[in-house]
Each structure stands twice: as structure tokens, then as C-alpha cells.
Amino acid sequence: MRKLCTDHLTNAYYCSAPYFEKAASILETEPGPPQLESVQARLAMCLYLLSTFRINECWYRFGMTSLIIMAMGLHRKTETSRKVGLVEQECRKRVFWSSYILDRYLSVMKGRPRIFRDEDIDQDYPVNVDDDDMVFTDKDLIAALPLRGLLDASINHAKFVKRK
């Protein structure tokens, strides 16, 4: 019988381990070039390793993940010639800014230089709307929606660590 994850201090490891294993299995069966989903899985693995105090392993995995992020161009604005839906565009932004924050923290913890260079980045911050509201494809409709504040902390966190 599966244990409920109610006491986060006692069961945090046991509750998050299945997600780590699932991410690993997704990456083992990846058929071709990396996709946005595989980058998300890699970031989830890095966060798990960091939360289980395996900082060195996290740092090594994040190094490969950051190379994939740059190869996919997630640090750059999406080309207008390439038709990308709003959900994918916002997920690309969220993945990049999450990895940017993680890069900053890992560089401080390990005493090593950051991987992402600010002069190479022109990616916008994510739009501060709820996931359910991203079903719209028109950016003008998104702009008219009330900002719910669910991403306030993440966006402001990214802005904070980007400061020089």
C-alpha cells in the first residue's frame, strides 16, 4: 500500500523518489534529439538530487542539462518564423528561468563560475497567468486576463538573481 506524503520531513525522500525514477525512465527511452519534456525531466532530477544533498551529482547532471538548454535555444526568444503555441512558448521560458536560478545557486554552493552568461540571454520572463488560462492562443487575450500572481514569486526570484 502506498504511503501518503503528509509529513514532508519524514517522507520527503520517499515521496519524491518515484518522480526521480520516472524522469530517469523517460530519459532512457528518449528516441531522438532532446525535447522540452526531457529538459523538464532533467531539471526535476537535478532538483531531486539537490534536495537529497547530492550536490556534486546535481552539478554534473545540470552541466549536461544546461548544454542541452543552450543547444535548444531556450535562453533566446523564440523566432517569429517558427510557429510555437503559447503553452510551449511559456513552458520554454519557465524552463529556462528555472534553470537560470538553479545555475546561480549551484555556482554559489560549489564556488564555481556560472554556466549561463547574461550577455547571451534575451529570453523574456514568463507571463504571470495561471496554467489553465494558457489555452488561449492569442497573446492579446492573455494580456487582457487578470494576473493571478501564481508566478509572482518565480518571476521575481529570477529578476532578483539576475541582478548584478
Side-chain angles (χ1 to χ4, degrees):
M1 182 167 217
R2 190 174 188 150
K3 267 183 148 176
L4 291 177
C5 299
T6 54
D7 180 13
H8 68 77
L9 294 176
T10 307
N11 295 326
Y13 175 80
Y14 298 106
C15 293
S16 56
Y19 294 107
F20 179 84
E21 292 166 8
K22 182 63 177 176
S25 71
I26 287 171
L27 296 175
E28 286 174 8
T29 60
E30 190 172 42
Q35 302 296 315
L36 187 60
E37 295 82 7
S38 67
V39 174
Q40 290 171 324
R42 291 173 194 277
L43 280 175
M45 292 175 78
C46 290
L47 292 172
Y48 170 80
L49 292 168
L50 191 60
S51 70
T52 55
F53 305 105
R54 294 189 270 176
I55 296 171
N56 284 330
E57 188 176 352
C58 173
W59 186 72
Y60 289 122
R61 283 188 187 262
F62 182 72
M64 178 58 71
T65 304
S66 62
L67 290 173
I68 293 169
I69 286 170
M70 288 188 284
M72 290 178 66
L74 299 182
H75 63 299
R76 309 290 296 178
K77 291 180 182 176
T78 306
E79 298 173 19
T80 54
S81 62
R82 185 173 164 232
K83 294 292 182 192
V84 175
L86 183 63
V87 173
E88 182 180 343
Q89 185 178 4
E90 289 303 310
C91 285
R92 290 172 61 91
K93 292 176 188 179
R94 291 177 183 188
V95 164
F96 170 71
W97 286 109
S98 298
S99 62
Y100 182 88
I101 293 167
L102 183 57
D103 181 33
R104 273 298 188 72
Y105 284 125
L106 285 172
S107 71
V108 169
M109 286 187 265
K110 298 290 292 171
R112 299 200 173 124
R114 292 182 296 132
I115 296 170
F116 297 117
R117 296 174 352 140
D118 288 339
E119 55 269 12
D120 296 336
I121 299 166
D122 71 351
Q123 183 62 272
D124 293 326
Y125 294 109
V127 176
N128 188 11
V129 294
D130 189 15
D131 291 351
D132 296 336
D133 292 334
M134 282 198 295
V135 295
F136 299 111
T137 55
D138 189 357
K139 288 184 183 181
D140 295 329
L141 288 174
I142 291 293
L145 290 171
L147 298 180
R148 296 186 178 196
L150 295 176
L151 286 179
D152 265 347
S154 297
I155 293 169
N156 287 321
H157 199 163
K159 289 178 182 178
F160 178 74
V161 298
K162 191 163 182 354
R163 272 200 246 170
K164 295 182 180 194

